[in-house]
Each structure stands twice: as structure tokens, then as C-alpha cells.
Amino acid sequence: MRYVEQEKVIKRMNGRLVVNTIFKGLFMAATLLALLALVVLLYRIITQGASHLSLDFLMNFASRFPEKAGIKAALIGSLWLMAVVAPTSIILGVGSAIYLEEYAKQNKLTTFIRLNISNLAGVPSVVFGLLGLTIFVRAFSLGNSILAAGFTMSLLILPVIIVASQEAIRSVPKELRDASLGMGATKWQTVVNIILPAAIPGILTGSILALSRAIGETAPLIVIGIPVIIQFLPRGVFDTFTALPIQIFDWASRPQQEFQVVAAAGIIILMIFLLIMNSIAVIIRNKFQKRY
Amino acid sequence: MTTIKTALTKKEPVQKTDKKSVYLTKQLNLWYGDNHALKNIDLDIKENEVTAIIGPSGCGKSTYIKTLNRMVELVPSVKTSGQILYRDRNIFDKDYGVEELRTRVGMVFQKPNPFPKSIYDNIAYGPRIHGIKNKKILNEIVEKSLRGAAIWEEVKDRLDENAYSLSGGQQQRICIARALAIEPDVILMDEPTSALDPISTLKIEELVQELKKDYSIIIVTHNMQQAARISDKTAFFLNGEVIEYDDTDTIFSNPSDKRTEDYISGRFG
């Protein structure tokens, strides 16, 4: 008596193969749909905005007249913002991650902190904007300066950087730590010489992706009250400024048809900005990647 | 049993000498949380000898060797009581820093664990963290350590290559050389050949025989033939206790405890 009857198995075979093919098709359709949406979006923006792209667009300040409107203040403003956000968030984030992974004792308090850092990564950016408004803009009287906006953005992306850095540090094999500590190295020497070099690709990739999120965020800047039309460049971190997403948001919400073109051109600039940052992340990952 | 006996006849008899103690363990107890892993351990380990620690899995032999350089404390929830005197000083004393202890006591781990750095930087790591910066001195330490670990001839022309490019057996000898580079007094080896092929194992065993002239060696091993071949003294651990500790010859030819006899004759474990 055999339980598996070859005849029946063969008979059922066709049905199984058909189901397999159907699901393959469904999954492919899902991928194609996403790709299609992306392509349409890119196509519309590029065809719409390309005509307005020129050196003048990069060199002009914002204007009431669409043909004169430029993105200079926003572009430089976004660069200033990054100059504040990158060091603040990376130093704080990597420092916290090192503390949590290497120094902190495993107890209920640290488990609670870890859990909540992950939760913070999911808090809407508007909430961080309100926090920044209360603390940096008002309590610290920083006004709507680059520093206030930079600190707010740093808070926003800090959880992401901490979690990414923790993951990177945790993926360094325990054997390497043991080897270093077993030779009488201090924790700090082990962190600097062994753990950070091995974790740096992961840390940098995570940080750069978090920074590109900060570049594209609009809500916190609106809540803080960053102005849109600015006819000067900031000379320091205490000056006010405007940033790419805010500028684009303003142009896109104007009634005149011509400003839609200007907004599309702004989006192209923002996308190039993001593309450059993501490419840097990929390059770093490929360059430093080590296998164990 | 036959293999063990042939190994024994080849070895020179151990001479009773009045060697100094390097590690004197008194009434050591260790808990992982509620799990009582080491129970009332008393062991007197002599210098310039190879002391083997054998026993079935989970008997506490790895825990014990990791206690000797306090690496066991990296596991959260570890508690200890009792004393371990290293050269007459209790290693659990508050003013005895683990870093200081570990510069005197080198360790070789179960799995070869070189750093993802060049061979040279692997060996120079220990001296560097202890503040030696002089290139000439570092060069000499690297050569001396690699010669000491019997791997100099194989790697002298490729010191700049990543240590990961070496075979497993070579990597383990790099790790031994790395431990030698801080010029320790004791070398702890936690099943150093368990991940290696027979030929690499043989090389490491020969190396241990060489090293005992200058260092005291404590080696945990799963392999009883290995303990019989290379050690002077053997401690048999079972369920966190030392059942028997004696000259290796005595342990393997005339054990006084029935459980030791059962274990070495392969009746369990």
C-alpha cells in the first residue's frame, strides 16, 4: 500500500503549475505598477520643469514673476541646514548607539530606552516641528534660524541614525570584541580600533539615508515658521533662511500656471540633491564593506 | 583506549618538581543567574606546565578558563564567590583592573578570530594598545611573535595581506602569535583546535609543547587524546565540579575516581 500515488500526483501537477504562474504574474504586476507610477511622475516633472532649468534659475532669488523666480536662497539654505544637521545628528546618534550597545548594562531601563528610540522613529514629523517650536524657537529664543531648524531636524532623524548605528555595531562579530578585550584593551580602545572600523559602512549608510530624509522634510520647517520669500543669503547659523521643500511647496500652491513649471524645476533640483546623497551612501557601502 | 596508551608511552614521564603556583583557585563558585555553573573549585595550577581541562559539554570547563582572565564577566548576570590567586594576588580584588590582568594572561579562542586587518596589524595590535609606537620595536615584536607561533616562514613575505586570506589553521596560529605579542605570563586556550583539521591540530599541539618552556599554558579540550598527548596535568570537570586533578599520566592510566575512568574510557560524554 503506497500513500503517494504517482497517477494522482501527475494529475494535480497542472493545477499547481498554473497557480504558480498566476502568482508570479501578480507579483510582477505589483512591481511594474510601482515602477510605472515612478516613471510617470518623473516624466511629468522633467517635461514640465526642464524648460525652466537654467543657470539663472540656480542664481536667482525668489520673485513675484515666475520667469525671474530662482532657487538660490533655498538651495544654499538647504546646504546650511545640512551643515548643522549632519554633525549634530551623527555625533549624537553614533554616540548614543555606542553607549547603548557597548557600555550600558542590560536591564529594564535600557530595554525601555531602546524600545522607545525605535518608537520615536515612527513619530510624525509635524510633532517634531512642534517640539522644535517650543524648545529651540521659543525657550532657547533661537527664532526661525538655521540653528533652530537644524536642531529640530536633527531630533527628527536621530532615532533613525541611532537604530541604524546600533544594528551596525551589533553586527560586528562578538569574537572580535573578545579578542581585543582579551588582550587587555579598554572598552574605548576596542570601540575605536575594532568596532567602529567594522561598523562604519552601516553607520554611514544609515546616516546618509536619514539625512536625505531631513532634506525632503517640509512639515517641521513650516511649523517652526521658516519664511519662503527671502532676498538674501544667510551669513551664519543664527540667520533665518529658506529650504528647498518649502520653496517648492510655496510655488506649487500658487494659482498661476507658470509657477507650476517653476515648482517642477525645483523638484528636479531637489531630486538631484537626493540622488547625489544616496549615491554617496552606496559608494561608501561598497567601498568599506567587509565580510566575516 | 589503545590510542591513548600509545600516546602515553611516547611521552616522557612528568617529574615531580616544586614549581611555583601560577593560579591558585580557592573555593570558586560561579552562577549564571540561577544556574550554579562552577561549584567549590579548588585547583593549584603550576607555572611552565601545560594544564589540560577535560570534561563533557556543559561541565563548566570553558566557564572556568574564562574566569581566569575574567572574560566570563562579559556575560550579564554572572556572579562569583571565592578566590582565584594569580601570582598570589586575588584577581577579584576591586583594585585589580581586568585590563592589567589580561596583559599578563593571553587568550586563544575556540574559533580563530583574527581582526579584519593585515597580518602585521593583527600582531602589533596588543603592543600598540599598550602604548608601543616605535616602528623598529614593533617590527621586532611582530617577527618574534610570529616565529614563536611557528608561522613566520609562511607569512613573512605577506605581512601586509589581510589575515582573513589565511587558512583556518594559519589564522589560529596568527591568533596565538597575537597573544604572544603582549609577552604574557600565562596563555589560556579554549578548545583552540576544535575548528581545525588534523594537520593544523598537530601543528598547534607541537607549538604548545614549544611554548611551555616560556609560558604557563592552560588548555580546555574536548579531545582526550589531545590532553593525553600534550599536557602535564589534567583536571576532569563534571557538572561544575572538579572530580579529579592529577598528573596526566595518572589520570589516564590509573584514575582514582570511577567517573573519571568512565569518561576517559568513553563510556559517556
Side-chain angles (χ1 to χ4, degrees):
Chain A
M1 169 71 193
R2 295 180 60 163
Y3 289 102
V4 182
E5 288 170 47
Q6 287 299 317
E7 266 177 46
K8 280 191 181 170
V9 168
I10 303 264
K11 237 185 242 169
R12 286 196 203 109
M13 187 73 83
N14 273 339
R16 286 163 53 200
L17 291 177
V18 167
V19 172
N20 188 34
T21 316
I22 290 173
F23 275 97
K24 182 184 164 191
L26 275 176
F27 294 139
M28 205 157 99
T31 314
L32 286 179
L33 198 68
L35 268 179
L36 189 72
L38 203 67
V39 168
V40 169
L41 199 70
L42 279 178
Y43 175 79
R44 251 187 68 85
I45 284 167
I46 289 172
T47 48
Q48 216 181 8
S51 62
H52 196 77
L53 276 183
S54 64
L55 208 56
D56 280 345
F57 180 62
L58 290 176
M59 302 305 284
N60 282 353
F61 286 108
S63 163
R64 279 189 296 131
F65 309 105
E67 62 273 16
K68 280 192 189 164
I71 204 161
K72 185 179 184 184
L75 188 60
I76 303 293
S78 277
L79 285 173
W80 271 99
L81 190 64
M82 281 302 105
V84 172
V85 174
T88 320
S89 59
I90 292 177
I91 290 170
L92 285 178
V94 177
S96 318
I98 291 173
Y99 177 75
L100 287 173
E101 287 301 312
E102 298 296 324
Y103 288 93
K105 288 221 167 71
Q106 300 279 351
N107 56 29
K108 279 183 185 150
L109 181 70
T110 46
T111 315
F112 181 75
I113 292 174
R114 266 171 243 250
L115 186 74
N116 277 288
I117 288 174
S118 311
N119 284 342
L120 275 180
V123 170
S125 53
V126 157
V127 179
F128 280 100
L130 289 169
L131 184 74
L133 181 70
T134 322
I135 298 180
F136 302 124
V137 179
R138 299 208 178 122
F140 290 179
S141 315
L142 289 173
N144 50 10
S145 63
I146 294 172
L147 212 53
F151 286 165
T152 309
M153 284 294 195
S154 300
L155 282 186
L156 173 70
I157 63 170
L158 203 51
V160 181
I161 294 185
I162 294 175
V163 171
S165 306
Q166 277 183 295
E167 290 293 333
I169 289 171
R170 216 174 297 151
S171 70
V172 179
K174 183 182 156 291
E175 287 81 16
L176 296 183
R177 278 184 190 84
D178 287 352
S180 175
L181 294 172
M183 256 179 297
T186 60
K187 269 211 172 138
W188 172 237
Q189 286 174 319
T190 306
V191 166
V192 168
N193 294 308
I194 305 300
I195 293 174
L196 280 185
I200 237 138
I203 290 176
L204 283 183
T205 313
S207 302
I208 291 175
L209 291 180
L211 285 177
S212 15
R213 181 177 168 206
I215 286 187
E217 274 295 345
T218 324
L221 297 179
I222 293 175
V223 176
I224 289 178
I226 299 303
V228 179
I229 299 198
I230 278 191
Q231 298 291 342
F232 58 87
L233 292 180
R235 275 165 316 193
V237 288
F238 292 105
D239 289 352
T240 191
F241 73 114
T242 192
L244 286 171
I246 285 235
Q247 185 74 75
I248 292 165
F249 176 68
D250 173 66
W251 283 331
S253 55
R254 289 188 185 209
Q256 300 100 310
Q257 191 56 42
E258 293 87 343
F259 269 113
Q260 301 306 317
V261 177
V262 181
I267 291 171
I268 294 175
I269 299 291
L270 181 59
M271 281 199 310
I272 292 172
F273 209 132
L274 286 174
L275 215 60
I276 291 172
M277 290 194 64
N278 288 358
S279 316
I280 293 172
V282 171
I283 290 168
I284 288 173
R285 192 171 46 209
N286 292 346
K287 192 167 177 212
F288 290 98
Q289 204 160 46
K290 282 185 190 118
R291 283 171 215 283
Y292 301 103
Chain B
M1 274 312 279
T2 47
T3 44
I4 294 175
K5 279 201 177 122
T6 40
L8 282 178
T9 48
K10 274 184 198 160
K11 212 157 67 79
E12 288 163 37
V14 182
Q15 284 165 0
K16 298 265 178 203
T17 49
D18 298 316
K19 282 176 177 165
K20 275 202 244 165
S21 291
V22 52
Y23 266 115
L24 188 59
T25 306
K26 291 179 180 171
Q27 286 298 302
L28 174 73
N29 280 282
L30 185 142
W31 294 265
Y32 291 116
D34 294 331
N35 176 15
H36 198 174
L38 294 176
K39 298 164 192 162
N40 302 322
I41 307 279
D42 285 302
L43 272 185
D44 183 2
I45 294 170
K46 302 289 188 192
E47 66 179 5
N48 292 81
E49 286 191 340
V50 177
T51 306
I53 299 176
I54 59 168
S57 301
C59 69
K61 52 190 194 306
S62 274
T63 300
Y64 177 67
I65 200 172
K66 280 186 201 144
T67 313
L68 294 178
N69 68 348
R70 294 180 58 187
M71 287 295 278
V72 77
E73 288 167 26
L74 292 179
V75 180
S77 81
V78 160
K79 262 184 257 138
T80 53
S81 75
Q83 284 189 326
I84 297 179
L85 301 180
Y86 165 67
R87 300 275 181 202
D88 303 323
R89 208 171 144 200
N90 186 3
I91 63 166
F92 295 123
D93 271 353
K94 279 224 170 70
D95 60 342
Y96 204 155
V98 285
E99 288 84 5
E100 188 190 339
L101 175 68
R102 290 172 191 161
T103 60
R104 309 285 298 129
V105 182
M107 188 161 203
V108 178
F109 297 83
Q110 197 166 346
K111 219 177 95 193
N113 59 352
F115 299 126
K117 297 174 185 277
S118 72
I119 294 170
Y120 184 98
D121 287 339
N122 261 280
I123 311 300
Y125 183 78
R128 276 181 182 144
I129 59 171
H130 294 117
I132 295 171
K133 292 196 185 92
N134 186 318
K135 267 257 166 72
K136 237 178 110 187
I137 295 178
L138 283 176
N139 289 343
E140 278 168 28
I141 291 176
V142 170
E143 178 170 346
K144 183 174 158 235
S145 310
L146 288 169
R147 281 188 193 283
I151 194 172
W152 171 252
E153 290 302 325
E154 289 161 65
V155 300
K156 64 180 179 190
D157 300 323
R158 45 196 283 213
L159 292 176
D160 291 333
E161 267 178 51
N162 195 304
Y164 278 45
S165 62
L166 300 172
S167 74
Q170 288 174 321
Q171 286 186 12
Q172 193 62 305
R173 277 180 287 149
I174 290 289
C175 293
I176 293 174
R178 188 175 61 183
L180 297 182
I182 52 172
E183 300 182 347
D185 175 32
V186 184
I187 302 173
L188 308 174
M189 296 184 167
D190 186 3
E191 297 188 35
T193 61
S194 65
L196 304 182
D197 64 273
I199 292 172
S200 305
T201 301
L202 190 70
K203 281 193 178 146
I204 304 250
E205 287 182 6
E206 286 169 1
L207 180 57
V208 169
Q209 294 302 313
E210 276 301 306
L211 291 173
K212 79 171 197 188
K213 293 171 192 153
D214 301 310
Y215 307 91
S216 314
I217 296 172
I218 302 166
I219 181 168
V220 165
T221 176
H222 242 97
N223 181 332
M224 282 176 281
Q225 282 89 337
Q226 182 171 68
R229 279 194 298 265
I230 65 175
S231 69
D232 302 303
K233 292 254 173 57
T234 297
F236 172 57
F237 275 57
L238 187 64
N239 297 330
E241 289 175 89
V242 179
I243 302 300
E244 197 167 349
Y245 175 50
D246 211 328
D247 286 344
T248 300
D249 291 359
T250 316
I251 291 268
F252 282 94
S253 56
N254 189 20
S256 52
D257 196 291
K258 179 77 171 59
R259 289 168 290 180
T260 316
E261 198 187 331
D262 285 352
Y263 182 69
I264 58 168
S265 57
R267 239 163 277 165
F268 76 95

